[in-house]
Amino acid sequence: MFYGLLKVIFLGPLLRVLFRPWAKGLEHIPAEGPVILASNHLSFSDSFFMPLMVPRPVYFLAKSDYFTGKGIKGRLTAAFFRGVRSVPIDRSSGKAADPALKTALRILSEGKALGLYPEGTRSPDGRLYKGRTGIARIALESGIPVVPCAMVGTYEIQPTGQVMPKIKRVGVRFGEPLDFSRYREVPGAVDDRYILRSITDEIMYALMDLSGQEYADIYATDAKKIIAAEKAADRAEQRAEAKKAAVEERRAAIEEQRQQEADEDARRQ
C-alpha cells in the first residue's frame, strides 16, 4: 500500500512535475512474470526514478544498515525502505553473497521484478564501473532474462555526497532482454568464474551502450578508495604548503623587525 501511495499519489506526481522524467524501451519489460532489471548506479535518486517509470513494482536488495538505524530517523528510514519494497541484505562480509542469492531467487520465483545494481555501489565520478558477478549467478540460477536499464542525468542532479538534488530533467533507457540460458547447459557454469565474468561483462557492455558512459575496468569501491586517498594526499599537501607559507611569513616578520631595530640603533649613534 505504501509503495502505491508513494508512486501514484504522493512522491510520484511531484517527481514527474519537477524532473519531467522520460523513459524509452518500456516494451522490453514484461507486463507480468519474473524479470531482472540491471541498472547502472549514478545517484541515490536512481532508486526513485527507475521504479517510477516501470509500470509494475520493482524490488531491490538493500544493505541491512538501512533497516537497523536507531532513533526516529532510523525508524523512518527503515519504514521507508520497507515501504518501497527494498529487501534487507547483510553485505558486511563475503558470506553475504549466499543470502543475497537466495533472497533474489525467492523474489524471482514469486514472479516479481528484481532491480539490481551490478556495480555494487554508486559511481564516484559518473563513469560506468566493472560489474560484480553476483548478477550473473542470479541470472544463471533463475534462468530469467536480464533487461539492461540505463539511468540518464541522475549523476548531474545528485552525485554522491549531495543531499538535495538539482531540478533537471532525467531519463531511463531500457534495452532488449539478454538471455543467458545457453550457459545453463554447461556443467558447473554457476561456479565457473570465467562464465560469470563473461555474462557480467556482457551486461555492463549493454549498459555502456545504452548510457553512453565512459567505462572504467575497476570496481567502483576501489575507485572510491583511490579518489579518497588522492583527496587525503591533496589535503596533506595543502596543509604542508600552508604550514610552509606560515613559517616563511613568520621568518620574514622576524627579519623585518631585526632590520627596524638595526636602523633605530644606527640613528641613535
Side-chain angles (χ1 to χ4, degrees):
M1 181 183 295
F2 185 49
Y3 182 93
L5 289 174
L6 280 177
K7 184 173 181 177
V8 179
I9 298 177
F10 297 121
L11 189 57
L14 179 63
L15 293 177
R16 290 183 185 275
V17 170
L18 292 177
F19 298 94
R20 297 177 296 125
W22 52 266
K24 295 182 180 180
L26 285 172
E27 67 275 9
H28 298 308
I29 302 174
E32 57 183 23
V35 63
I36 300 171
L37 301 176
S39 175
N40 57 342
H41 203 6
L42 294 167
S43 167
F44 180 76
S45 60
D46 294 337
S47 297
F48 291 89
F49 289 109
M50 191 261 268
L52 178 65
M53 305 312 293
V54 176
R56 53 186 293 192
V58 180
Y59 292 75
F60 287 91
L61 303 182
K63 59 182 180 181
S64 58
D65 296 9
Y66 290 141
F67 301 83
T68 57
K70 305 295 183 181
I72 296 176
K73 182 181 178 181
R75 289 194 291 271
L76 288 175
T77 300
F80 173 79
F81 277 95
R82 288 193 182 95
V84 296
R85 292 192 164 101
S86 292
V87 182
I89 294 296
D90 180 10
R91 301 192 304 182
S92 60
S93 68
K95 296 179 181 178
D98 230 25
L101 175 63
K102 291 178 180 177
T103 302
L105 293 176
R106 176 179 59 78
I107 291 172
L108 293 170
S109 69
E110 294 170 356
K112 298 172 180 175
L114 175 66
L116 295 173
Y117 296 117
E119 292 167 278
T121 187
R122 285 170 286 174
S123 171
D125 55 12
R127 293 189 293 171
L128 182 70
Y129 283 87
K130 188 176 181 178
R132 301 282 181 176
T133 58
I135 189 170
R137 191 180 297 274
I138 292 170
L140 279 181
E141 286 272 13
S142 66
I144 305 299
V146 176
V147 174
C149 163
M151 306 303 303
V152 180
T154 53
Y155 181 79
E156 287 70 22
I157 69 167
Q158 192 182 26
T160 301
Q162 182 171 313
V163 178
M164 295 300 295
K166 298 177 182 177
I167 305 300
K168 187 178 179 181
R169 199 171 192 197
V170 299
V172 194
R173 292 193 188 101
F174 297 95
E176 296 183 5
L178 303 174
D179 183 8
F180 302 107
S181 58
R182 62 188 183 277
Y183 290 107
R184 300 189 76 192
E185 300 176 1
V186 179
V190 170
D191 298 312
D192 189 314
R193 62 191 181 96
Y194 295 106
I195 291 178
L196 295 177
R197 173 49 55 193
S198 177
I199 291 173
T200 305
D201 287 347
E202 186 174 340
I203 294 170
M204 302 313 292
Y205 181 84
L207 289 176
M208 180 179 67
D209 190 46
L210 281 172
S211 67
Q213 290 172 270
E214 178 186 346
Y215 180 74
D217 195 27
I218 62 172
Y219 292 119
T221 49
D222 293 335
K224 287 183 176 181
K225 292 176 183 177
I226 293 172
I227 292 172
E230 289 174 346
K231 287 182 178 179
D234 288 341
R235 288 194 297 270
E237 184 177 353
Q238 289 171 2
R239 287 195 296 269
E241 290 178 353
K243 184 177 180 180
K244 182 179 179 182
V247 170
E248 292 295 332
E249 184 178 348
R250 178 60 178 164
R251 181 179 292 117
I254 292 173
E255 288 297 328
E256 183 179 359
Q257 183 177 0
R258 286 177 177 173
Q259 186 62 48
Q260 289 175 352
E261 292 173 350
D263 292 344
E264 287 182 7
D265 290 341
R267 283 196 298 271
R268 288 175 188 152
Q269 294 175 357

